[in-house]
Amino acid sequence: MTENLRNWAEIDLDNLAHNVIETKKFVGDTNFMAVVKAEAYGHGSIEISKVVLENGASSLGVATLDEAIKLRQNGITAPILVLAPTMGISNPLLLEHNISQAIATVAAARELSQAAVAVGKTAVIHIKIDSGLGRIGFKTTPDTVQKILEIDKLPGIKMEGIFTHLAVSETRDTSYTQEQYKNFLQVTQPLKNAGLNLVEHISASGAILSNPEMNMGMVRPGALLYGVYTSDEIPTRIDLRPVMVVRGRIAFLNHIAKGESVGYSRTYFASRPTTIGILIYGYADGYPSKFSNKSHVSINGIKCPVVGRVCMDQLLVDVTDVPNVGVGDIADIIGGDGPSAFDLTNISDVTTREVQCLTNIGKRVPRVYYKNSNPYKCEYL
């Protein structure tokens, strides 16, 4: 299935299922929202959603309405929450496809209420609280409780949950996380006292590990599902397996003399007679130029440095030390015998989530899905 591919991402669905099961064991009986935004962090949202739901996820989280509709159009019937605001003009689509929406203003709630009443449907919403990230949400001020109570009275609205997002949940110092938690409770506790029984959720992958006492009524794992620990400052409490390996084939071999340069801007000069392998994989496929002269790939188990500038379509690697290297040899670019997503964060200021999403930036990298250690499907996103 990969014989004619210049590059591809192998997605191990068995490892994905393992990660879901192990994460569920860790968090216990709390509701489990699998975050599949950005094409499931570059893995392909349709296949990933099917597997996480089969293995115990109760709902899905996405970033945009388009992402949610794509899931619906591909047979996903589970609850889906759009975690970011949606323009009011799209409210009819939310209702048509039975998609839940995060709400951060009374005005947005009223607009959605009007759209729901107009078609005789009920819109399911989750209230978004800004407890200290400084992004989207109701502030944790005294008037917020009254605003939420006002929303609860709107016709055509079912208020199902309330949530916030943490700013620094992946560090040893949890003081700011604790502050955000207290801010969140300043809103949720009065709502409980007023008789509202909402699903509360605060923990994504970092907090699930660093502050498990905050798991509350729902958790929202993303990175954990895909087998990536996002920080070496928090406990590795779950047995995770990598889900993605990005591979490519050597398309051309170039032999250069000592002192010759390769690549744009001549950022690399050979210190010996050198064999350069060219992979058809570049920053248009999601491999940042920040990795130029810093990263490496693995070919036949041998570490091969990335040399010269990362090009739009090509990656140059030093294969001099690979015995009998030839055109068509396979390089592990991310994962496998190559650097992991976490390894790559240590050579630049790129985050693990950016590395996971690398193959989502360019649409030219096919996903080859594996079940029971065998490839069964190849598709482009």
Side-chain angles (χ1 to χ4, degrees), residues 274-330:
T274 301
T275 301
I276 302 295
I278 289 87
L279 305 174
I280 309 302
Y281 187 85
Y283 62 75
D285 302 297
Y287 199 80
S289 59
K290 292 178 181 180
F291 293 161
S292 300
N293 296 301
K294 294 180 180 180
S295 185
H296 71 276
V297 304
S298 179
I299 299 174
N300 297 335
I302 296 174
K303 183 176 179 178
C304 301
V306 171
V307 296
R309 286 265 299 273
V310 174
C311 309
M312 179 181 287
D313 312 303
Q314 298 176 22
L315 191 64
L316 283 61
V317 297
D318 181 349
V319 298
T320 309
D321 296 329
V322 180
N324 303 313
V325 67
V327 170
D329 285 357
I330 294 174

Side-chain angles (χ1 to χ4, degrees), residues 281-288 291 354-355 357-359 361-362:
Y281 187 85
Y283 62 75
D285 302 297
Y287 199 80
F291 293 161
E354 288 177 278
V355 173
C357 288
L358 291 180
T359 49
I361 297 174

Side-chain angles (χ1 to χ4, degrees), residues 101-129:
Q101 175 63 52
I103 291 292
T105 66
V106 174
R110 286 174 177 159
E111 196 169 7
L112 182 55
S113 168
Q114 292 168 0
V117 170
V119 294
K121 291 190 174 183
T122 299
V124 178
I125 67 171
H126 287 227
I127 298 295
K128 178 65 184 294
I129 301 297

Side-chain angles (χ1 to χ4, degrees), residues 25-48:
K25 286 179 183 177
F26 182 75
V27 301
D29 293 332
T30 186
N31 290 305
F32 192 105
M33 176 183 287
V35 178
V36 295
K37 63 183 180 179
E39 285 292 355
Y41 289 45
H43 295 69
S45 62
I46 304 304
E47 293 299 320
I48 296 300

Side-chain angles (χ1 to χ4, degrees), residues 168-305:
V168 285
S169 62
E170 299 170 356
T171 61
R172 291 188 185 91
D173 183 357
T174 64
S175 56
Y176 193 72
T177 295
Q178 296 291 341
E179 183 178 335
Q180 282 193 255
Y181 184 53
K182 291 177 182 177
N183 290 341
F184 187 59
L185 295 180
Q186 287 178 5
V187 175
T188 59
Q189 190 56 54
L191 292 174
K192 287 181 182 178
N193 296 340
L196 287 185
N197 184 25
L198 303 177
V199 177
E200 300 169 350
H201 46 116
I202 190 171
S203 293
S205 291
I208 286 172
L209 296 175
S210 63
N211 295 88
E213 73 280 2
M214 296 183 186
N215 286 345
M216 307 186 81
M218 179 183 284
V219 292
R220 305 188 307 268
L224 291 179
L225 305 181
Y226 310 111
V228 175
Y229 286 112
T230 56
S231 170
D232 57 6
E233 294 189 38
I234 55 179
T236 54
R237 293 168 161 163
I238 304 174
D239 174 33
L240 299 178
R241 297 174 183 172
V243 175
M244 178 190 286
V245 179
V246 179
R247 294 191 162 109
R249 295 183 185 277
I250 295 177
F252 188 83
L253 291 171
N254 187 18
H255 304 281
I256 63 173
K258 178 180 178 179
E260 288 187 327
S261 65
V262 295
Y264 292 117
S265 301
R266 306 186 73 202
T267 63
Y268 173 82
F269 290 84
S271 60
R272 59 176 179 171
T274 301
T275 301
I276 302 295
I278 289 87
L279 305 174
I280 309 302
Y281 187 85
Y283 62 75
D285 302 297
Y287 199 80
S289 59
K290 292 178 181 180
F291 293 161
S292 300
N293 296 301
K294 294 180 180 180
S295 185
H296 71 276
V297 304
S298 179
I299 299 174
N300 297 335
I302 296 174
K303 183 176 179 178
C304 301

